[in-house]
Amino acid sequence: MTGYIDPDRAQFDAFKALDRDAELNMLNLVAYNDKANYPGDHPLARDGLTGAEAYALYGKHSAPVLARVGGSLLWSGRFDVTLIGPQEETWDAMFIAAYPSAHAFLAMVSDPEYQRAVIHRQAAVRTSRLIRTTPRPTQGSFG
């Protein structure tokens, strides 16, 4: 799997070009590194943390910021098996975060406390998918 850890400029610009006032949900699919990959000058670089341990630190330090901007975890699940799709893609964490607007998401990622927390995510993640979705009422069918 190719490592996707942070958005590239074109992806982030596409996100920002969408309606910023609309409620949104972010589907998160995350695969961890076996060992956390902190920069050499980071205080935890030599502690031998696993990717899962580093991601737990990311969650601990970013959760207050998520709550402060009005976001919440909508759903979390455990990966079992891919029925349709690339069999080599397996996920250690799967969840949906809800935000009242793109403004809230952008406020979160630019918050200094979040900026300090994201180093743990970057150290933890081997690859990930972050997919913006617009919630809509279910109509009793898939379409």
Side-chain angles (χ1 to χ4, degrees), residues 59-132:
K60 174 184 174 184
H61 296 292
S62 65
V65 185
L66 174 67
R68 192 165 46 249
V69 301
S72 63
L73 286 183
L74 186 62
W75 172 87
S76 178
R78 184 190 75 219
F79 176 84
D80 291 325
V81 68
T82 298
L83 193 57
I84 299 173
Q87 295 302 304
E88 68 277 5
E89 286 190 352
T90 61
W91 307 107
D92 296 304
M94 303 171 63
F95 60 94
I96 297 173
Y99 298 87
S101 68
H103 295 294
F105 177 83
L106 293 168
M108 181 186 75
V109 299
S110 62
D111 183 283
E113 186 177 344
Y114 181 85
Q115 291 290 314
R116 288 188 297 277
V118 79
I119 190 76
H120 300 296
R121 183 186 188 285
Q122 292 165 333
V125 174
R126 179 172 47 88
T127 194
S128 64
R129 306 294 182 267
L130 182 59
I131 302 165
R132 177 181 167 161

Side-chain angles (χ1 to χ4, degrees), residues 3-111:
Y4 295 96
I5 299 169
D6 295 311
D8 66 27
R9 176 55 46 201
Q11 290 170 314
F12 200 58
D13 289 344
F15 173 88
K16 292 188 302 184
L18 295 173
D19 182 356
R20 292 193 188 186
D21 295 322
E23 177 184 351
L24 64 106
N25 293 337
M26 296 292 269
L27 171 62
N28 290 255
L29 305 173
V30 182
Y32 303 144
N33 288 316
D34 291 333
K35 290 288 180 186
N37 187 20
Y38 286 98
D41 62 344
H42 191 276
L44 296 176
R46 292 175 196 21
D47 284 7
L49 297 179
T50 66
E53 290 169 327
Y55 202 81
L57 288 172
Y58 166 68
K60 174 184 174 184
H61 296 292
S62 65
V65 185
L66 174 67
R68 192 165 46 249
V69 301
S72 63
L73 286 183
L74 186 62
W75 172 87
S76 178
R78 184 190 75 219
F79 176 84
D80 291 325
V81 68
T82 298
L83 193 57
I84 299 173
Q87 295 302 304
E88 68 277 5
E89 286 190 352
T90 61
W91 307 107
D92 296 304
M94 303 171 63
F95 60 94
I96 297 173
Y99 298 87
S101 68
H103 295 294
F105 177 83
L106 293 168
M108 181 186 75
V109 299
S110 62
D111 183 283

